[in-house]
Amino acid sequence: MPSAAPRVSPSAKASAAPAGAKGGASVAQKALQKIGLRRDIDLALHLPLRYEDETRIIPLASARDGQVAQIEATVVASEVQLRPRRQLVVQVEDGSGSCELRFFSFYPSHQKTMAVGARLRIRGEVKGGFWGRQMLHPAFRVAGGELPAALTPVYPTTAGLPQPYLRRAVVSALARVDLSDTLPPGTEPPWARFHGQNGLHRAFSLREALIFLHHPTPDVALSTLEDHSHPAWQRLKAEELLAQQLSQYQSRRERDRLRAPVLHPQPVKGGAWPLHEQLLAVLPFSLTAAQRRVGEEIAADLARQVPMHRLLQGDVGSGKTVVSALAACLAMDAGWQCALMAPTEILAEQHFAKMIGWLEPLLAARGRKVAWLVGGQKKKDRTAMLEMVASGEAALVVGTHAVIQEQVQFKNLALAIIDEQHRFGVAQRLALRQKLAAHGMEPHMLMMSATPIPRTLAMSYYADLDVSVIDELPPGRTPIVTKLIADSRKDEVIERIGAQVEAGRQVYWVCPLIEESEALDLSNATATHADLSEALPGVMVGLLHSRMPTAEKKAVMALFTSGQMGVLVSTTVIEVGVDVPNASLMVIEHAERFGLSQLHQLRGRVGRGAAASACVLLYATNDSGRVGETAKERLRAMAETNDGFEIARRDLEIRGPGEFLGARQSGDALLRFADLATDTHLLEWARELAPQMLDRYPDLAAKHVARWLGGKSDYLKA
Ligand code: ADP
Ligand code: MG
């Protein structure tokens, strides 16, 4: 038995080779790099998944079935059995009882270690009781030697990186790394305030917290490590949140040093009305108080020389588009250009149609136009549009991602509006900002979202964003009634659709989301389309899915918008932004597969006109009806409230922050320890401390951010 690796587990080949041997070490080194453990601090922050208790030896007789136990026992028999398959069977006794060890893979050296008469320290899961105890592939070594004082960490790892190697790497990193406190002197730790009972109120320093979490004493209540409520965990989570807040405040301060065009509302001169006033005059409605209020907030931002970085939130249907158009007017009136970018072509198209309707005549009188940029555009059209954008003839540019492509050169972009901002990645927002870089200035940014961001998320990921909220729907809307219906009653639902169409209304039918396969999504939608067409003779039933050619999508949308098409079957492409006020019923099939916020978005497509509107959530039932029941429970929130914020809060509890942040900046990458659904008190503490710390202890702040975020802080800036 090599003394460097006293524990031998025959099933783990890697530990059979002496760790530290040349080839092994470089493989492990590479594996460390691969999982991002480059700096000592990365290793120090690589926390165990769980722990093994090797601090005690227990009598075999006291081991329960299923318990992982460490024993010391003597080998009384050892044989290789060939049936039913080749295996080494070793019988051991410790005076209190006996146990059989079984190994399906083993080496001659193992047999030698486990020869009759040998005394072993054995660790494994004990199975069975009355008929004899058994351990399958336990770890074993020669008995004796000191017992460790702390629990043994088990780390998340990867191929080529054995636990013993990783453990040693962590121990030596912990010994080397600078873990000096970066919190300002006298900081009151919130993790102490919230754990007053059981003597747990002692505040851990960072060093103490990390040493404890890697090697906790065996008397710790394991549940407090598992649920991360232990004060050592609290310390780490607070530190992590502080780093995030510092970096957010820092980027806000950096942005505050940048310059953007100053856009004052133009005065009425010589009877010539400013664009902004003209648009208000031609709108077929008057603004709600909330729209006016957020409009003023935006106008105040635009009149400053610091770039605006504002998120306009408002539930679906609250009328964000017109607010953004009014903001665009302020920029265009001062002779600048605006861009309006939407995540899908359908949505961009709707915006374009709306902007044309509202603004084209007004702009024409000024010799300016609205340009249109999307991916699949004809080369000739595209070239013409690009010229309009470059010359400044286009006052407003509406489109999809195509708006930020390299060839697009703005003459003077002053305001970038991003609809459904959570659909865009950081890189895309950065690209938009760069479009004005040529002038040594930044454009103002207005981001819009109908997915209400829960307060804790807004406080953390969007801390460097100003937020305006439209908290009021335009008048005359009747609330949407939401019903949960088992899909076994689909026929009744189809009957109801017939009645709606008869009454001159229109209906959306949203097909289930099939995450694994777009192809399945499609075949499902196609089949539903065929079924509904058959069940509803004389009704025009259309189909819309993401794989359709653009021209076809447009044609379908045009038929639905004009009211000729009674029913629109679609995959989730209609999720965002589509506005057809005459649609009054939405059916969502397999609603249990959607996130609540997503359902809320979808539901917002109806209830846009004066007619009473309904949303039917069909949920799947199996034969026993049981899967159906849990799904129903979760979906009940949808029937209980129309408040997008409440729904978002429940969604955060259920699904975590990824839902709101979009794939590219999803929560896991940025917060490893803290959990926004439960660590609100820590977040509030960090948020309060961060600006003070930047002012009074800039060096500590810089050190803290570098320690925690390393190269990642760029990521947080866009
Ligand atoms: P969203 O905030 O979801 O983007 P939209 O901007 O699409 O909402 O507006 C939804 C509908 O309400 C549109 O048809 C829009 O023209 C209309 N609308 C917006 N503001 C008002 C208002 N103040 N009064 C009446 N209708 C309005
Ligand atoms: Mg919208």
Side-chain angles (χ1 to χ4, degrees):
M1 173 98 11
S3 59
R7 281 182 58 196
V8 177
S9 162
S11 58
K13 281 222 183 86
S15 61
K22 260 194 172 169
S26 70
V27 167
Q29 278 293 343
K30 275 203 194 113
L32 278 180
Q33 299 278 325
K34 198 182 99 194
I35 58 174
L37 302 179
R38 295 187 185 84
R39 310 171 298 165
D40 283 340
I41 186 71
D42 299 329
L43 279 159
L45 294 175
H46 190 63
L47 292 191
L49 276 179
R50 57 186 175 83
Y51 304 91
E52 284 175 354
D53 188 353
E54 294 176 318
T55 63
R56 291 177 301 154
I57 286 169
I58 64 163
L60 259 174
S62 73
R64 285 167 283 109
D65 183 19
Q67 182 184 353
V68 175
Q70 181 166 258
I71 58 168
E72 280 196 353
T74 307
V75 177
V76 293
S78 169
E79 69 167 328
V80 175
Q81 290 178 2
L82 295 175
R83 249 165 283 229
R85 52 186 275 212
R86 194 174 123 82
Q87 52 187 294
L88 174 63
V89 182
V90 176
Q91 195 71 34
V92 297
E93 275 179 16
D94 74 348
S96 80
S98 65
C99 183
E100 189 180 78
L101 318 179
R102 272 175 198 273
F103 302 91
F104 293 110
S105 69
F106 53 94
Y107 296 95
S109 65
H110 299 145
Q111 282 171 275
K112 229 164 108 191
T113 309
M114 290 187 281
V116 173
R119 197 154 164 78
L120 302 176
R121 183 176 293 173
I122 301 154
R123 189 169 187 287
E125 187 180 345
V126 179
K127 282 284 180 202
F130 190 72
W131 295 110
R133 293 182 197 87
Q134 214 181 53
M135 288 191 200
L136 211 57
H137 283 263
F140 62 91
R141 48 169 283 188
V142 175
E146 264 182 54
L147 289 168
L151 301 182
T152 308
V154 179
Y155 293 106
T157 186
T158 181
L161 187 57
Q163 285 291 336
Y165 185 93
L166 190 46
R167 283 180 192 139
R168 280 196 300 275
V170 169
V171 167
S172 55
L174 276 175
R176 271 193 309 262
V177 70
D178 167 22
L179 291 175
S180 56
D181 224 313
T182 42
L183 298 192
T187 306
E188 196 203 339
W191 53 94
R193 255 184 274 158
F194 284 82
H195 285 270
Q197 81 283 48
N198 304 333
L200 279 182
H201 57 279
R202 194 170 72 85
F204 280 60
S205 70
L206 177 64
R207 162 175 296 280
E208 288 169 333
L210 284 175
I211 288 176
F212 182 84
L213 291 175
H214 283 289
H215 305 112
T217 46
D219 60 347
V220 68
L222 277 176
S223 66
T224 63
L225 295 184
E226 271 156 28
D227 70 8
H228 300 180
S229 65
H230 190 279
W233 264 106
Q234 299 283 314
R235 168 77 194 214
L236 275 198
K237 296 197 282 191
E239 290 236 348
E240 178 181 43
L241 288 166
L242 180 62
Q244 186 207 39
Q245 291 296 307
L246 284 170
S247 131
Q248 296 272 346
Y249 276 102
Q250 235 164 7
S251 59
R252 168 184 285 259
R253 289 180 180 194
E254 276 164 32
R255 194 188 331 273
D256 283 350
R257 281 195 288 273
L258 300 171
R259 290 292 162 259
V262 176
L263 307 169
H264 285 296
Q266 299 292 304
V268 183
K269 10 174 204 233
W273 278 49
L275 203 49
H276 184 266
E277 306 304 317
Q278 286 185 317
L279 175 55
L280 281 174
V282 300
L283 284 176
F285 48 75
S286 51
L287 297 184
T288 62
Q291 283 171 318
R292 251 179 283 137
R293 175 172 44 75
V294 301
E296 279 160 22
E297 287 166 2
I298 294 166
D301 279 359
L302 294 178
R304 298 174 61 212
Q305 54 176 357
V306 172
M308 172 169 74
H309 199 56
R310 187 172 285 276
L311 177 67
L312 174 56
Q313 277 194 1
D315 216 339
V316 276
S318 60
K320 295 183 289 295
T321 319
V322 70
V323 172
S324 72
L326 286 163
C329 285
L330 291 176
M332 296 188 293
D333 232 4
W336 293 82
Q337 290 175 298
C338 287
L340 169 54
M341 188 163 84
T344 66
E345 196 164 328
I346 288 191
L347 186 52
E349 173 104 14
Q350 290 223 352
H351 284 323
F352 185 65
K354 214 162 239 179
M355 295 298 164
I356 290 275
W358 286 335
L359 292 171
E360 195 171 54
L362 307 177
L363 284 173
R366 292 163 165 79
R368 302 186 78 188
K369 289 188 172 150
V370 182
W372 168 242
L373 278 176
V374 289
Q377 223 160 359
K378 280 205 203 93
K379 187 131 190 283
K380 205 175 104 220
D381 294 345
R382 187 174 169 76
T383 312
M385 290 295 172
L386 287 178
E387 271 167 24
M388 268 170 60
V389 177
S391 70
E393 187 187 0
L396 176 62
V397 184
V398 182
T400 56
H401 297 80
V403 171
I404 49 169
Q405 267 151 21
E406 250 174 78
Q407 315 91 297
V408 185
Q409 297 291 338
F410 286 86
K411 175 158 181 274
N412 58 359
L413 178 67
L415 170 63
I417 302 165
I418 305 181
D419 198 13
E420 306 296 340
Q421 65 94 24
H422 59 288
R423 294 287 181 112
F424 289 97
V426 171
Q428 290 156 331
R429 295 211 293 270
L430 282 174
L432 248 185
R433 283 169 54 185
Q434 265 138 32
K435 289 290 173 198
L436 194 67
H439 297 256
M441 281 199 271
E442 289 268 314
H444 296 284
M445 300 265 271
L446 178 63
M447 290 159 263
M448 303 197 280
S449 176
T451 304
I453 297 169
R455 201 176 68 92
T456 48
L457 262 189
M459 276 166 63
S460 53
Y461 290 98
Y462 299 100
D464 76 329
L465 213 61
D466 295 305
V467 181
S468 291
V469 181
I470 307 186
D471 51 6
E472 173 187 11
L473 292 179
R477 304 263 169 91
T478 43
I480 306 161
V481 176
T482 299
K483 288 216 166 83
L484 308 186
I485 298 183
D487 63 3
S488 50
R489 290 169 57 201
K490 209 180 208 169
D491 289 348
E492 293 168 44
V493 175
I494 294 175
E495 258 171 55
R496 179 130 170 233
I497 292 178
Q500 285 287 310
V501 177
E502 192 90 338
R505 303 268 156 227
Q506 290 167 279
V507 178
Y508 292 105
W509 183 291
V510 180
C511 289
L513 188 71
I514 301 175
E515 275 173 9
E516 312 86 70
S517 153
E518 244 182 86
L520 271 182
D521 255 349
L522 178 53
S523 75
N524 203 302
T526 315
T528 305
H529 175 245
D531 289 351
L532 288 178
S533 304
E534 198 188 304
L536 298 165
V539 175
M540 191 195 287
V541 181
L543 175 63
L544 192 67
H545 59 78
S546 49
R547 294 245 195 112
M548 261 158 63
T550 308
E552 220 174 295
K553 277 191 210 165
K554 278 188 195 166
V556 171
M557 269 324 285
L559 284 169
F560 193 66
T561 310
S562 72
Q564 286 164 270
M565 182 180 285
V567 180
L568 179 62
V569 175
S570 91
T571 55
T572 50
V573 287
I574 59 157
E575 184 183 341
V576 288
V578 177
D579 185 29
V580 180
N582 192 45
S584 61
L585 174 62
M586 168 164 294
V587 180
I588 303 176
E589 221 179 330
H590 274 293
E592 74 280 358
R593 293 188 193 168
F594 294 85
L596 296 183
S597 290
Q598 221 178 348
L599 288 173
H600 183 64
Q601 289 274 308
L602 284 167
R603 172 169 71 178
R605 299 306 120 217
V606 294
R608 304 195 142 222
S613 294
C615 174
V616 171
L617 302 178
L618 286 177
Y619 62 93
T621 45
N622 60 10
D623 296 338
S624 67
R626 272 182 57 212
V627 172
E629 272 314 305
T630 25
K632 199 173 162 186
E633 203 46 54
R634 192 172 70 86
L635 291 176
R636 203 158 275 145
M638 297 300 298
E640 282 167 12
T641 178
N642 265 316
D643 175 353
F645 280 89
E646 173 60 18
I647 287 168
R649 198 185 57 72
R650 296 198 196 182
D651 232 6
L652 181 65
E653 279 169 15
I654 300 169
R655 295 164 70 100
E659 172 93 346
F660 302 93
L661 293 173
R664 216 170 290 237
Q665 43 176 177
S666 83
D668 359 323
L670 297 176
L671 279 183
R672 293 160 60 192
F673 304 124
D675 178 348
L676 293 178
T678 55
D679 297 326
T680 321
H681 62 290
L682 298 178
L683 177 58
E684 272 161 8
W685 166 84
R687 190 170 153 81
E688 207 174 299
L689 180 58
Q692 300 168 21
M693 192 168 161
L694 280 174
D695 288 338
R696 299 183 42 209
Y697 302 95
D699 295 345
L700 285 180
K703 186 169 171 188
H704 189 86
V705 171
R707 174 183 284 167
W708 276 90
L709 298 173
K712 264 197 282 184
S713 51
D714 251 10
Y715 209 44
L716 292 161
K717 281 189 190 152

